[in-house]
Amino acid sequence: TLSKEEIAKDLTVITGIDPGSGVVTNAEKAVDEYGLDLTVQASQSAAMTQALEDAISKNEPIVVTGWNPHWKFTRYELKYLEDPKGVFGEAEGIHTIARSGLKDDKPEAYEVLDNFLWSEEDMGEVMVAIEEGTADVDAAKDWVEKNEEKVSEWTNGIEKVDSEELMLVYVNWDSEVASTNVIKLVLEEIGYNVQLSEVESAFMWQALANGEADASVAAWLPDTHASYYADYKDDIEDLGKNLDGEPKTGLVVPKYMDIDSIEDLKA
Ligand code: PBE
């Protein structure tokens, strides 16, 4: 284990992901509010998990901007640091959001998207398969084939369409790569010609607000994407939760770090 003093001596950064993500914004807020002598280093999800792997292999201290559902909790022994100031919010949800007008223009797609609801275990299966090397599309296909009953609850009674175009936007976060690829296949079963557009967080919200894209299953509310929601809420529609579970974000460390709270990161 690493003591609080050893951690304070060696740790200079919080390893972040993409700069537009809610966890990075909130990590910066945490540095301010807790008065930490650490810099939030933005990078990418894949670089963050690589840094985690490296630090763990050397038994070094590391703090990352983390969230679950995410495969890192199955792969490594990790824990969230307590957040007594509530910087990372309370009860969070993963929501489906759509551009205004989708309900009228493409009611079948709207209905499927509105029905889409799966569990943390479901999402975990797809995410772990991708992490282990299965292509995104194949991991999604395997899950859909194995879960016909669940999928039919989302599509039951919905009329098929004839090759209508539909554009889904998402950000390259492991959890959202999984959900986006699954809902794409389900919408294709209904007859949509689904395009995926991978963008930065801000553009995900923007593209829906100005009608360039149709929907996204990658909105984290009410807290993680609060500022995007505030900016765009009048021009999008929130279709509610698509994950049955307790998604969460925060600062995550290996269990061998002998600290419990973000406050313990104070030098
Ligand atoms: N995440 C995953 C995103 C939302 C989904 C928690 C990394 C974020 O904006 O922080």
Side-chain angles (χ1 to χ4, degrees):
T1 61
L2 294 174
S3 69
K4 190 180 167 204
E5 292 68 33
E6 287 169 309
I7 294 165
K9 190 161 68 67
D10 289 345
L11 195 72
T12 54
V13 299
I14 293 173
T15 304
I17 56 168
D18 49 293
S21 63
V23 274
V24 164
T25 309
N26 284 339
E28 276 156 1
K29 216 185 282 172
V31 165
D32 263 11
E33 291 196 18
Y34 289 92
L36 308 179
D37 191 16
L38 296 172
T39 313
V40 181
Q41 209 168 56
S43 67
Q44 279 181 18
S45 300
M48 178 275 285
T49 48
Q50 186 60 52
L52 204 49
E53 163 105 38
D54 292 349
I56 290 171
S57 72
K58 297 184 215 143
N59 217 53
E60 284 173 355
I62 182 164
V63 180
V64 303
T65 58
W67 71 98
N68 69 282
H70 194 283
W71 57 263
K72 61 185 174 288
F73 289 97
T74 10
R75 171 67 72 91
Y76 310 113
E77 299 268 305
L78 302 172
K79 63 185 176 189
Y80 279 103
L81 292 178
E82 284 157 26
D83 174 21
K85 294 186 197 282
V87 171
F88 289 89
E90 302 291 325
E92 191 69 354
I94 306 182
H95 288 223
T96 300
I97 53 176
R99 65 173 168 86
S100 308
L102 185 71
K103 190 176 187 175
D104 291 332
D105 300 345
K106 299 179 197 259
E108 296 84 5
Y110 179 93
E111 224 180 306
V112 174
L113 286 159
D114 200 19
N115 290 344
F116 175 45
L117 179 70
W118 66 344
S119 68
E120 287 195 41
E121 293 70 34
D122 294 328
M123 183 185 246
E125 273 177 44
V126 180
M127 225 182 329
V128 167
I130 295 171
E131 204 279 308
E132 286 171 352
T134 310
D136 305 349
V137 186
D138 295 331
K141 204 181 277 173
D142 289 347
W143 188 89
V144 167
E145 276 167 12
K146 268 195 258 156
N147 290 274
E148 268 175 38
E149 217 169 292
K150 202 168 260 190
V151 170
S152 73
E153 281 172 27
W154 310 332
T155 56
N156 239 341
I158 298 174
E159 269 180 48
K160 297 231 153 121
V161 299
D162 188 13
S163 297
E164 278 185 45
E165 299 290 324
L166 195 82
M167 168 85 81
L168 300 179
V169 266
Y170 71 110
V171 185
N172 190 9
W173 298 311
D174 306 84
S175 35
E176 281 57 37
V177 169
S179 52
T180 303
N181 276 279
V182 165
I183 197 66
K184 173 181 194 279
L185 291 179
V186 176
L187 287 158
E188 284 173 350
E189 283 185 9
I190 296 290
Y192 285 96
N193 196 344
V194 181
Q195 304 292 325
L196 298 188
S197 170
E198 188 209 309
V199 295
E200 297 285 327
S201 325
F203 291 115
M204 175 174 103
W205 287 84
Q206 236 172 61
L208 295 174
N210 59 33
E212 284 167 16
D214 293 303
S216 171
V217 293
W220 281 54
L221 293 168
D223 207 82
T224 311
H225 294 163
S227 67
Y228 295 129
Y229 184 75
D231 286 349
Y232 298 115
K233 66 177 183 315
D234 293 340
D235 299 306
I236 59 139
E237 192 180 341
D238 178 8
L239 279 62
K241 288 184 186 180
N242 61 47
L243 186 91
D244 194 4
E246 293 180 357
K248 182 174 158 68
T249 74
L251 297 185
V252 169
V253 301
K255 283 188 181 162
Y256 59 71
M257 286 170 64
D258 197 14
I259 55 172
D260 297 315
S261 165
I262 299 177
E263 284 181 327
D264 300 331
L265 290 172
K266 267 211 208 141

